[in-house]
Amino acid sequence: MENGKAVKGAPKRKSDEFSNPFLTQEVKIHSSPAQAVFENGYEKCDSALRSLSVVLPAVLKSDNEVMTVNGAVDHLINNAFVNLRNESARLKKIAEDNGIEIGRVNYTNVTAYQAKITCNKSGQYLQMIRELDRLMELVHSTWLAGFIADDAKGALERQWRRKTLGVSAEITAILARAFSAAQKLKHDVQAEPGQAATENQADEVAETPKKKTRKTKTQTPDSTEASTPLMGEDAGLAEQATKEDDL
């Protein structure tokens, strides 16, 4: 549109297309466990969180139900942060108590990712991945210092990678359950008027008294029976009339 006039040949935008905001951040991730979480869980989690934030309120149309779903997501994310930070504090204390100096660990394959943030909670999950990366640095520092064994290092990597990925999977499951409940509620609401009409018709049929059918018996008039001669009678009358003519 130029100077308030539409430009000829410009493609028409569909009425149901919206211009949605998003933010792109570059995030550098050092450890392999945190990289695996970003590659396998971030986009799915971002998509699910955006649907919960933007699409679900329009479908449910109930503030209480939307608050319940958002409360479950907030509880899940907050618990994950608490667990990550508690584990980091535990490793730091163990290292300090044993006189281990935890230095900055270098990595051979630091990767920079472009993270697309489409809603406020997506940024929280991205921060969770950053904190997982810092936790792995603590694990690797204590391992390189000889404080933890190889099997303990591997177990900690798997444990926290799965837990952080589990947050993404659980948020996706919350979204699926919320939409399923919304569809069921919509189906029940649509079915109620038809069910009520069927019940009213059934009540009307039950209240209507049944009319007794009267059987009508057809009777033949006596005069008809008397005036209709039988076949034998016709022959007798004809013979009598012939005799009378001969006389």
Side-chain angles (χ1 to χ4, degrees):
M1 182 174 289
E2 295 180 357
N3 299 326
K5 296 182 180 180
V7 179
K8 285 187 176 181
K12 293 183 179 180
R13 188 170 64 88
K14 295 181 180 178
S15 59
D16 58 346
E17 288 183 354
F18 295 94
S19 181
N20 298 308
F22 70 92
L23 180 67
T24 302
Q25 282 188 6
E26 182 178 285
V27 53
K28 288 184 178 180
I29 302 179
H30 302 80
S31 64
S32 293
Q35 290 173 359
V37 171
F38 183 90
E39 292 171 2
N40 296 303
Y42 178 75
E43 286 188 6
K44 294 177 183 177
C45 188
D46 173 72
S47 177
L49 287 169
R50 183 186 176 280
S51 295
L52 288 169
S53 175
V54 179
V55 181
L56 187 64
V59 175
L60 286 179
K61 296 180 180 179
S62 170
D63 293 341
N64 290 333
E65 293 176 356
V66 172
M67 287 177 62
T68 300
V69 174
N70 287 332
V73 173
D74 290 339
H75 180 72
L76 182 67
I77 292 175
N78 291 336
N79 275 353
F81 273 120
V82 169
N83 292 334
L84 281 168
R85 290 164 184 171
N86 286 344
E87 181 66 10
S88 295
R90 185 183 73 87
L91 287 175
K92 286 179 180 178
K93 187 170 188 314
I94 291 174
E96 291 172 0
D97 290 346
N98 290 273
I100 300 173
E101 184 177 351
I102 299 177
R104 184 72 180 181
V105 181
N106 295 317
Y107 288 86
T108 59
N109 189 28
V110 178
T111 305
Y113 295 97
Q114 296 297 319
K116 185 178 180 180
I117 301 173
T118 61
C119 70
N120 59 340
K121 289 186 174 66
S122 297
Q124 292 179 339
Y125 189 68
L126 185 61
Q127 179 61 28
M128 191 184 302
I129 295 174
R130 288 192 181 102
E131 295 206 13
L132 171 66
D133 199 32
R134 287 197 285 270
L135 174 61
M136 290 299 102
E137 288 181 14
L138 290 172
V139 171
H140 296 152
S141 293
T142 53
W143 172 68
L144 290 171
F147 180 70
I148 61 174
D150 295 341
D151 56 347
K153 164 188 165 287
L156 287 170
E157 288 176 341
R158 290 190 297 273
Q159 175 187 355
W160 291 102
R161 183 185 71 242
R162 289 172 181 171
K163 282 188 174 184
T164 312
L165 271 175
V167 173
S168 174
E170 182 59 27
I171 289 173
T172 305
I174 289 173
L175 172 68
R177 289 195 297 269
F179 271 99
S180 177
Q183 290 297 326
K184 184 178 182 300
L185 179 63
K186 181 179 179 181
H187 179 269
D188 293 343
V189 169
Q190 290 176 347
E192 282 178 0
Q195 184 178 359
T198 304
E199 291 176 354
N200 290 337
Q201 290 176 0
D203 293 340
E204 289 175 1
V205 171
E207 291 174 0
T208 303
K210 293 183 178 180
K211 295 182 178 180
K212 293 183 179 180
T213 304
R214 298 180 63 184
K215 294 182 179 180
T216 305
K217 187 175 182 180
T218 305
Q219 294 181 353
T220 304
D222 295 340
S223 59
T224 305
E225 291 178 356
S227 62
T228 306
L230 299 175
M231 291 179 65
E233 292 175 350
D234 290 343
L237 291 172
E239 186 179 354
Q240 184 179 358
T242 304
K243 287 180 181 181
E244 289 177 355
D245 291 338
D246 291 339
L247 291 174

